[in-house]
Structure formats: C-alpha cells, structure tokens
Amino acid sequence: MRVSFKWLQEYVDIPVSPAELADRLTMAGLAVEGLEEPGKEISNVVTGRIVKIEPHPNADRLVVCLVSTGEPEPRQIVTGATNVREGHVVPVALEGARLAGGLVIKKARLRGVESRGMLCSGQELGLDPKTLPADQANGIMILPEDTPLGVDVRPVIGLDDVIFDLDLTPNRGDCLSMIGVAREVAALLGQPLRLPRMEVREIPGSSLEGRVRVDILEPGLCRRYVARLFTGVKVGPSPLWMQERLRAAGLRPISNIVDITNYVMLELGQPLHAFDYDRLKDGHIIVRRAHPGETIVTLDGSRRQLEPEMLVIADPGGAVAVAGVMGGLETEVTENTTTVLLESAHFHPTSIRRTSRVLGLRSEASTRFEKGIDLEGCLAAASRAASLLVEIGAGEVVAGAVDNYPSPAAKKTIILRPERVEYILGAEIPREETANLLTRLGFKVQDAGRDLLVNVPSYRVDINLEIDLIEEVARIYGYDRIPASLPYGVTTRGARTGEQALVKRLKEVLVECGLTEVITYSFVSPAVFDRFKVPADSRLRRALSLQNPLSVEQSIMRTMLLPGLLEVLARNFHRRVTSGAIFEVGRVFLPREGEALPEERPVLAAAAMGQGAAGWNRPPLPLDFYYLKGVLETLAARLGLPGLHLERERENPAFHPGRTARVVVDGKTVGVLGELHPDVLEEYELDTRVCAFELDLAALLALTGGPPRYQPLPRLPGVRRDLALVVSREVPAADVLRVIRRAGGNLLRSVELFDVYEGEQVKEGCRSLAFSLLFQAGDRTLTDAEVTARIETISGALVEELGAELRK
C-alpha cells in the first residue's frame, strides 16, 4: 500500500516528520518498508507555455519552440516530441536544472539551432510511465491550461511529497485505504480524524423508481449491493489534484469517471465499478453465479471462460462483469457515455480469491475484497463518489440509491477485562487509559462494572476476541513502553524428546549410508493413487481434500511419502542425473472414521536408482534392493531394533511381485521394501530400475531397544566351521539363517552367508547355500566334540524344518 504524506494530512494533522511517523507506524504493526521522495532529485524545473512552434531548419524530426516561463522574453527550446502543440503548458527544465537520474541541463546547439532548456516528460521527472496517460507515457507531460507559469513544477504535479510503502499483514484490510491509515495515525498521535464529506447535491424531483433494479440471487456471496445513477455525464480528464493522488498510489489516471471510482477505493477502501447505463438491458442488475460455458470479454480485451462457482454481475442478456475482479468490455465507460450506473457492493472474500486465481486476474479491487471490506461502508462510498462527481462537474446525481441488503450485519460487542489487559501485557495500564486508547481507534467503550463493553466498528473485520482488543491496546499504548521482565515460573533446560533424538540419530545413520535427505510437499495430486496402482477400496485413497488448493496438483493431503520421492528422482533423471539415493522423514495424513481431522503419522521413506560412485580401488555400488536392505540392517543395528527380517510380499501393486518384501521387526510388520513396478515407473517416465522402502516410523520407534549394549572382546579363541546345503529356491536364505541361529544356541557367536550357487551340480529348482559359522564360549576353549555336536544339531533342524540336503 502506497500512502501519500500530503494526502494523509487532509484527514489528520501530523506534527511530526515523515521519518518519525514511519517509525511510529512500524512500531504499531503497520510496517513501513521505505520512504520515497519522488521530487528529491528535481531542481530548477518550472512551468511554461508553448507560444510558438516552428520546423527546425536543419532537421525533419525536430521542432523549435518558443516557451514562456513568466520571464520578459520567451526562451527558445528545440525538441523532438510529437505530442506538443501551441498553447500547451508543459514542464520546462531551465539551464542548470537537475532531472531524475542526475541529468543536468545545459545550454546547447542542436543541428545549428540554440536550445536554452528542455521540455520534460513524466519519466524525466521521475514518474512511472505506467501511471501516466497513454498519450503522455512516451511524450512530453501536458499540464492543465490554467496552470500558473514560471512556478516550481514539483508541487504542481505532486513531486513535493513523501510516499510511505506499507507492508500490511493479511488481517489489516482496513488499512488498504487512506482513511484506515489516517485513523491509525490519529490514534497514535492523539489528533482528531477528519472524515471526507459525503453530502450529495441531487437533481431536484428526480428518482430511481423504475430505472434501476438490483436482484441478488446469491446472498451468501454478495451480502450487499448499492447502486446509484449519474446523468449528464461528461467523460474527460480528471482534475490534476486527483491525478496526482492516483499516481502517488501507483495508479494511472484514465478518465474522470474511472478516476473517481479508483479515488474512493483508495480513500475509503471500498472498490467501486462504473457501468455505461445505456448499455445495460432495462437497467437491471442480477448478481448470480456464472452459467455453465458462459464467457465474458473483460476490460483488458480478453475473452474469459467462466465457471459455475464464479460470481458475476449480469443483466437479462448475460454477464457484464466478473464480481469484484474486473468489469466487462461491453458496458465500459467511454467518451460517448452520458449515463453511469455506479456499483458499490460487498462480495465474499473466498469467492473473489478463487475467481481471481482461476482467471489469472489480480486487481486493486480484488485484493481489497479478498482481505475483507466494511459491510456498512457500501452506501457511504457510493455517496462519496457522487459528491466528487458533482464537485468536479462531471455530471449530475439522480436522487436516492438502490440498497439491496438482505441480511444486515449484527454488531459485535466484546467484554474486555482491564485486569486481563495488565496480565497479558505485563504493564499497569489504567482502566481509563485502556478505554481512551480504544476510543481513539474508533471503538465505542461502555463501563460495565468491573469490565468494559467494547463495540467493534464494522470496518475492523479482524477483531473478534478479547485478545484482539488487548493487542490493539498494546499497539497504541506502545510496545516500547511495556517494561521488560524476566520469565517467571519453573524453568527447565531445553532438550529433545526421546522421539526427536531417535529421529535425529536415524537421519544421521541414513546420511552415513550415502542417502540424501529431501523434503517434499504435503499437498499432492489425486492422480498419485492411480500412478501407484492403489486399489479403489484402499484407505489411502480417502485423503483429506483442501478447501482452497493452489492447484489440482496440490489439492489433497498425502497419505504416502513415496510419490514425492519418485517425483524428485524423475525430475533429476530427466536432467541427466541418473543415479541417486534419497530419503524423507515426514508425516502422512490418514483418514479416521467419524472424525473430520486425519491421523498425522510419521513415516520414513527412501528410494534409490542407478549406481553409487566408484573409487580407485572399488567398482561402482549398485543402488538396488540389496543396497537398501543393507541400509535397513544398519538402521536396525544402530538403533537397537530387535529381530529385523524380511518376508516375501506379493500383494502390493506398486512393487514388483517377485522383488518385494515386508519389513518385520520383532514379529510386527512395519513397512515394505522392494523394486517399484515397471508400470509405476512408466507413469513417471523413468527408464531405469528404482528400489524403495516405506516404513511406519511410529511403529519403528516404539520397537527400538534403547541404548546399545557393548560386549567385551573375547579372551578365548573360537572355532569356525563351514556348512553347505541344498534347499529349494522357494526357501528364503533368511529362513535358513533363522533356523541355524536357533539351533546353534548360545555357543554360536555369528553366522554369515558367503556363497550361493545354482548350476549343473545342483538339481533343478534348488540352490546351494554356504554359511560360515563361528562358535565361541566366554569361559573356556571349545572342544572339537562340542562344536561337532552343535553342527549335527543344526543340520538335523535344517533337514527336518526346511527339507535341506547337506553337501559334503
């Protein structure tokens, strides 16, 4: 929000400098990002009238102007501008003048003709060309004919001003207006607020009866619609003072009618729209939703496809404006307009926000509607516009207004406890001062015994609770006046919870294993369920939908982490980064029966593709199933997870049926590990194998075995034996290991698989597995007989339970 210091002084006396006021506003919560002095660099530029224009004798594209600047003799200035005419009043830079950007004007000869100065454009005076009329954006600036000659041009065009650049918080829509900011300034400085006049001189004996009709078919989206009628309208330029203020706010003057609507919007915060009344059918305004397939050509000349959720302003023939966003070209006010219907309405913020986003249209009006405007201010804004219309002589006002107000707003009254104010702020603020501070902001305060009854003005849509009032008291009282104090109560040293510490350790282990942590969006597309082949009846499909999504691609809350990781790998793969291993620790949002809010469950997921980096003494490591299996086993060892093992999994449609396993810890399934199904990879256009796992982190952390236990190094030697056997290919090696460990008892210190063979020497459908077994006792050296007995016990168990055959 750009705020003109000169304009602000019209509503409130300001006895402090702009810099001090900026500090006071910032401390009160209206952050001033910067101060702009548009005319700071400009000097020795005055107003002048072009008396005569003659062709340049030596240049076809130059002309010689005689310009009167109030001096006895006119001065000769050569220019190449094509928009100047005899009689125009223009800014004239005299010899020695300094313009925007530091340019200094000197006497010169242009193609043999002396030039004593320069005619200035708005850009050369530091004005943004976007805020200049179209005919002056690239030419000399033309001033009103009655402008005095020879005076400093800066006050004439508003360059003797200071512009405040306010960075407002989303809840302070009331300060998107000059009156809103002036109200804050008045409260901070203890000065009275001067409101603009709303009196309207109407045409005697005139009436709107039978000329204007307003029907609101969607009262939930349009709570109020006010219409006024102007006749005898003469469309032309607006007064210079109005143009100055519009430019200071960053808006381009267009015409007196359009400028009035923009002026009132900036002054009061109420967006207005002007229709050419003669191009409206029957003077009938209908506020409704758009019809399916309906289109409209907006003021920017673009044809917009409307959706049924959008609110439009229509007449019996069709839509004439997109409510709160942009008007239609068909009813635009032009030079030929003689009768104007003025709209001042209140539209639902969410509806305007959605429409603006979908259409890709964001305007000053839509910004104010999105943040919430004063429902009670619609009629006052229309009256203010009517008053300005008469003041500048742009037309006459038909008596009366159509005010369709289906459900008037109820007044908000909040009980404020003075002792609560002191408790929250930690400052002793007298009851009378609390009431005075709120009164200065426009609140009506009544004494109610020990408490105060505070009536909230309609323009403060952000005030709903007692704590909101306490914040208002603190802002105006001054945060710098609240004494500093030490915290009181029982304090403890900050530390991570057990879960936080385990998650931190888990991440460290994964990074040590070569994975990179990523963070993906919690909002995903509903299409991920089809891409991951999630069954139609799966709980995962019942995701929580967002009421106001940024796009369809981010319209639901995720119930799986893996889709986000796969998108990361795919994005890298398509940019020729074909190898990588990543992980994420995040939350998924699972639906709960009978409850609106989902269960937020922590999940660990990882995905890998390609190969790891090779070394001078080692080949590249395939980032495959066995790599991630090793990562899981390392996690289990480092976090003390008991009995982690894998079991065959064929039912998960997102994974390859022959290369997938369930992850089991202490007899409980905590996740899945495997190679993603080729159909899933095809959905992401990945032409490579990808392995992944996804684990229920909450279940995993609940099974951790606490801190690791260290065992001393053995003092006595062990005995190592090899055991080779033939088993069916359907028997997992993990089952063989499990039987060996159980049958080996407490003397079996370790067992490792060191060879797998399938070939001619092994019968079809079987494979040979070779294990290295280490036997060791802590109190004695084992004898050969003891070890042989254990080997026989293990062999018997393998034959009996798994149908194994021992190899000799």
Side-chain angles (χ1 to χ4, degrees):
M1 174 71 181
R2 291 170 57 87
V3 175
S4 162
F5 187 71
K6 285 179 62 178
W7 191 0
L8 197 60
Q9 289 176 305
E10 182 175 313
Y11 309 111
V12 59
D13 294 328
I14 306 176
V16 299
S17 68
E20 183 178 345
L21 179 61
D23 290 338
R24 298 283 291 272
L25 286 171
T26 299
M27 289 299 296
L30 275 66
V32 179
E33 291 293 299
L35 294 178
E36 177 186 329
E37 298 181 54
K40 186 177 182 180
E41 295 181 295
I42 310 301
S43 64
N44 209 22
V45 180
V46 300
T47 58
R49 186 186 304 276
I50 300 175
V51 178
K52 189 176 183 180
I53 300 178
E54 296 179 343
H56 193 290
N58 303 318
D60 294 336
R61 296 187 178 182
L62 298 178
V63 294
V64 180
C65 300
L66 290 180
V67 183
S68 173
T69 58
E71 300 171 331
E73 295 292 331
R75 64 178 55 231
Q76 180 174 282
I77 296 177
V78 178
T79 181
T82 59
N83 69 319
V84 291
R85 302 289 183 268
E86 292 181 358
H88 277 174
V89 179
V90 297
V92 181
L94 307 178
E95 296 101 323
R98 186 178 295 273
L99 303 182
L103 177 65
V104 177
I105 303 302
K106 299 178 181 179
K107 183 188 295 185
R109 297 187 70 83
L110 299 178
R111 302 294 294 270
V113 176
E114 184 181 61
S115 180
R116 297 178 53 216
M118 188 179 79
L119 307 185
C120 298
S121 68
Q123 287 181 268
E124 289 161 338
L125 296 176
L127 298 177
D128 186 345
K130 295 179 181 178
T131 65
L132 295 171
D135 61 331
Q136 300 181 35
N138 298 306
I140 300 302
M141 190 173 188
I142 310 300
L143 303 176
E145 293 183 3
D146 58 352
T147 303
L149 303 183
V151 299
D152 187 351
V153 78
R154 290 179 299 172
V156 173
I157 61 176
L159 291 180
D160 60 336
D161 200 358
V162 178
I163 306 300
F164 293 73
D165 184 8
L166 297 185
D167 184 15
L168 300 174
T169 53
N171 65 318
R172 292 308 304 271
D174 61 301
C175 287
L176 286 173
S177 66
M178 293 299 300
I179 292 297
V181 177
R183 187 178 289 110
E184 292 286 317
V185 173
L188 288 170
L189 302 181
Q191 298 289 334
L193 178 68
R194 296 186 292 271
L195 295 176
R197 293 183 177 181
M198 304 294 182
E199 296 86 357
V200 183
R201 295 199 307 272
E202 300 174 334
I203 302 173
S206 62
S207 173
L208 287 177
E209 187 69 30
R211 302 180 68 179
V212 178
R213 174 183 171 188
V214 176
D215 291 330
I216 300 177
L217 304 186
E218 293 289 340
L221 300 182
C222 177
R223 297 187 60 186
R224 190 176 188 182
Y225 195 104
V226 174
R228 295 209 68 153
L229 190 63
F230 306 149
T231 61
V233 172
K234 297 179 282 294
V235 178
S238 57
L240 185 59
W241 62 266
M242 183 176 290
Q243 294 187 34
E244 289 176 14
R245 294 180 175 183
L246 293 178
R247 278 198 297 266
L251 298 183
R252 178 171 65 91
I254 298 174
S255 68
N256 48 11
I257 302 301
V258 176
D259 291 353
I260 285 174
T261 62
N262 285 333
Y263 184 91
V264 174
M265 176 185 68
L266 293 172
E267 184 179 55
L268 302 180
Q270 169 67 53
L272 305 176
H273 184 68
F275 297 97
D276 187 328
Y277 174 81
D278 294 326
R279 300 168 75 178
L280 285 171
K281 291 188 177 182
D282 305 326
H284 187 186
I285 291 292
I286 306 170
V287 186
R288 59 169 172 81
R289 293 181 187 267
H291 297 318
E294 191 171 14
T295 63
I296 184 175
V297 179
T298 48
L299 288 173
D300 58 0
S302 300
R303 180 168 293 278
R304 309 282 180 177
Q305 182 70 45
L306 303 177
E307 298 180 1
E309 293 78 17
M310 297 178 180
L311 189 70
V312 298
I313 309 302
D315 64 10
V320 295
V322 182
V325 179
M326 186 174 285
L329 190 63
E330 184 179 347
T331 55
E332 178 187 19
V333 172
T334 66
E335 295 178 354
N336 300 321
T337 299
T338 58
T339 308
V340 168
L341 179 71
L342 183 73
E343 165 193 289
S344 178
H346 184 285
F347 301 118
H348 194 281
T350 303
S351 172
I352 301 303
R353 186 182 302 114
R354 287 177 178 172
T355 300
S356 176
R357 186 185 67 249
V358 172
L359 294 180
L361 286 173
R362 190 166 182 83
S363 61
E364 292 285 342
S366 67
T367 298
R368 285 164 174 79
F369 280 123
E370 289 175 15
K371 296 182 183 299
I373 63 171
D374 182 7
L375 182 59
E376 296 294 319
C378 297
L379 183 58
S383 298
R384 174 59 173 162
S387 175
L388 287 170
L389 181 88
V390 174
E391 179 182 334
I392 67 175
E396 297 180 303
V397 181
V398 176
V402 175
D403 187 1
N404 194 332
Y405 196 0
S407 301
K411 293 184 178 181
K412 287 188 290 187
T413 301
I414 300 174
I415 297 175
L416 179 64
R417 296 165 290 176
E419 66 275 9
R420 185 65 178 172
V421 175
E422 293 187 5
Y423 175 78
I424 293 293
L425 300 184
E428 294 183 5
I429 303 177
R431 174 195 187 92
E432 295 75 15
E433 185 170 2
T434 296
N436 178 53
L437 293 174
L438 292 174
T439 301
R440 282 156 56 179
L441 282 170
F443 295 84
K444 293 183 179 179
V445 184
Q446 304 175 34
D447 197 325
R450 295 181 57 185
D451 301 329
L452 298 174
L453 287 181
V454 181
N455 293 325
V456 181
S458 59
Y459 52 79
R460 290 305 302 270
V461 296
D462 59 314
I463 303 297
N464 296 291
L465 303 171
E466 181 186 36
I467 194 66
D468 298 330
L469 294 175
I470 295 174
E471 180 184 2
E472 295 301 296
V473 172
R475 289 193 313 107
I476 307 304
Y477 179 77
Y479 292 114
D480 55 332
R481 295 177 60 192
I482 297 176
S485 60
L486 293 173
Y488 60 89
V490 178
T491 60
T492 58
R493 186 181 66 175
R496 292 185 177 88
T497 64
E499 178 178 332
Q500 290 171 336
L502 282 171
V503 169
K504 179 176 181 293
R505 182 60 181 145
L506 176 147
K507 291 182 178 181
E508 291 173 351
V509 173
L510 291 172
V511 171
E512 291 170 5
C513 291
L515 287 87
T516 300
E517 183 178 10
V518 300
I519 299 175
T520 61
Y521 288 113
S522 298
F523 305 152
V524 298
S525 168
V528 298
F529 301 126
D530 294 330
R531 293 174 184 170
F532 264 73
K533 315 303 177 187
V534 177
D537 59 348
S538 173
R539 177 193 183 197
L540 298 177
R541 282 188 177 267
R542 300 198 302 275
L544 187 69
S545 298
L546 302 182
Q547 288 186 348
N548 188 27
L550 297 175
S551 68
V552 176
E553 295 300 314
Q554 295 179 331
S555 59
I556 63 172
M557 303 195 76
R558 66 187 178 192
T559 57
M560 304 178 290
L561 282 190
L562 278 181
L565 297 188
L566 203 55
E567 287 182 6
V568 173
L569 291 182
R571 190 177 301 114
N572 282 273
F573 183 84
H574 298 146
R575 288 161 179 75
R576 299 186 181 181
V577 181
T578 57
S579 296
I582 58 176
F583 77 92
E584 179 175 8
V585 176
R587 295 185 181 275
V588 297
F589 305 87
L590 302 174
R592 289 189 284 198
E593 294 294 337
E595 296 189 31
L597 296 179
E599 175 190 3
E600 297 186 29
R601 197 159 185 84
V603 171
L604 164 65
M609 66 179 181
Q611 296 181 323
W616 67 270
N617 61 347
R618 68 178 188 277
L621 173 68
L623 301 178
D624 57 7
F625 178 95
Y626 297 103
Y627 167 72
L628 290 183
K629 177 175 177 286
V631 170
L632 287 179
E633 290 173 343
T634 303
L635 271 179
R638 301 285 283 275
L639 299 183
L641 294 172
L644 182 142
H645 69 278
L646 305 178
E647 296 180 359
R648 182 169 296 169
E649 170 63 53
R650 297 183 183 274
E651 303 301 324
N652 194 320
F655 288 84
H656 194 295
R659 300 169 185 170
T660 306
R662 286 182 288 116
V663 182
V664 180
V665 177
D666 197 24
K668 298 179 181 178
T669 299
V670 296
V672 61
L673 163 68
E675 183 177 312
L676 290 176
H677 199 287
D679 291 345
V680 174
L681 299 179
E682 185 178 351
E683 292 283 349
Y684 289 86
E685 300 180 359
L686 274 167
D687 189 20
T688 186
R689 288 185 174 183
V690 176
C691 293
F693 66 71
E694 186 169 279
L695 306 178
D696 184 342
L697 194 55
L700 204 66
L701 296 177
L703 296 170
T704 53
R709 296 182 180 181
Y710 294 92
Q711 295 181 350
L713 293 173
R715 295 178 300 156
L716 301 172
V719 178
R720 188 174 293 278
R721 295 282 182 88
D722 292 343
L723 179 64
L725 60 149
V726 177
V727 295
S728 170
R729 291 179 60 186
E730 300 298 319
V731 176
D735 290 350
V736 179
L737 284 169
R738 194 158 48 251
V739 173
I740 292 175
R741 289 193 179 101
R742 189 182 69 251
N746 58 358
L747 295 182
L748 180 61
R749 185 60 59 91
S750 68
V751 55
E752 296 177 359
L753 175 67
F754 69 87
D755 184 62
V756 179
Y757 174 75
E758 296 180 28
E760 296 180 358
Q761 290 81 5
V762 178
K763 63 184 180 180
E764 188 176 353
C766 296
R767 60 181 174 178
S768 171
L769 304 177
F771 298 89
S772 175
L773 286 67
L774 175 64
F775 296 92
Q776 197 170 38
D779 57 348
R780 67 188 188 282
T781 300
L782 295 177
T783 64
D784 188 65
E786 289 179 297
V787 174
T788 299
R790 289 301 173 102
I791 289 291
E792 291 176 352
T793 302
I794 292 171
S795 300
L798 290 171
V799 172
E800 181 180 349
E801 296 183 29
L802 303 178
E805 297 180 10
L806 299 181
R807 296 186 62 190
K808 305 256 178 140

